[in-house]
Amino acid sequence: MSTKPISDKDFEEQVINSKIPVLVDFWAEWCGPCKVIGPILEEISEEEKDRIFVVKVNIDENPETPTKYAIRGIPTLMIFKDGVLADTKVGSSGKVAIKDWINSII
């Protein structure tokens, strides 16, 4: 697994304090579109490991961070750059669209 599960407790350390950009996937086990996008994010994480760190936050197990960032629907993808939220994408997308989105930000 290339993506890394993180929790409310280590969000700041893993995302805000990261030296490279971080893509955060807010998801849940029961979410169909989350299951579709999961393998895509695994591929991107492996292919882009030197450029971006991909992490997953299970919203059912970690309610504080999704509340802090006003997550209303899942999957929600957020890119943090230099500790700051750079952009948000809600809903499932294909691999090319996600990679284009990442490239437009980092």
Side-chain angles (χ1 to χ4, degrees), residues 43-58:
E43 288 178 22
I44 290 171
S45 177
E46 186 60 36
E47 292 168 5
E48 303 291 337
K49 63 185 170 207
D50 296 330
R51 297 180 61 224
I52 193 163
F53 184 39
V54 182
V55 300
K56 300 175 78 68
V57 176
N58 183 316

Side-chain angles (χ1 to χ4, degrees), residues 23 37 40-41 44 77 93-102:
L23 187 156
I37 204 171
I40 294 168
L41 294 175
I44 290 171
L77 305 178
S93 295
K95 183 176 178 180
V96 171
I98 294 171
K99 285 185 88 165
D100 287 347
W101 176 62
I102 290 168

Side-chain angles (χ1 to χ4, degrees), residues 3-106:
T3 60
K4 180 179 180 178
I6 63 168
S7 67
D8 287 335
K9 286 191 274 187
D10 59 358
F11 187 86
E12 184 168 345
E13 175 189 340
Q14 296 291 323
V15 177
I16 304 302
N17 297 335
S18 177
K19 303 282 187 231
I20 66 169
V22 181
L23 187 156
V24 181
D25 174 23
F26 291 94
W27 71 288
E29 196 66 48
W30 47 264
C31 168
C34 298
K35 291 179 182 178
V36 171
I37 204 171
I40 294 168
L41 294 175
E42 288 291 329
E43 288 178 22
I44 290 171
S45 177
E46 186 60 36
E47 292 168 5
E48 303 291 337
K49 63 185 170 207
D50 296 330
R51 297 180 61 224
I52 193 163
F53 184 39
V54 182
V55 300
K56 300 175 78 68
V57 176
N58 183 316
I59 64 164
D60 291 332
E61 296 172 1
N62 302 284
E64 293 173 24
T65 305
T67 299
K68 179 178 179 180
Y69 290 98
I71 303 301
R72 300 281 181 254
I74 55 172
T76 292
L77 305 178
M78 292 183 164
I79 295 180
F80 289 79
K81 190 174 176 184
D82 299 321
V84 178
L85 177 59
D87 201 13
T88 302
K89 187 176 193 59
V90 180
S92 188
S93 295
K95 183 176 178 180
V96 171
I98 294 171
K99 285 185 88 165
D100 287 347
W101 176 62
I102 290 168
N103 290 332
S104 73
I105 296 164
I106 66 169

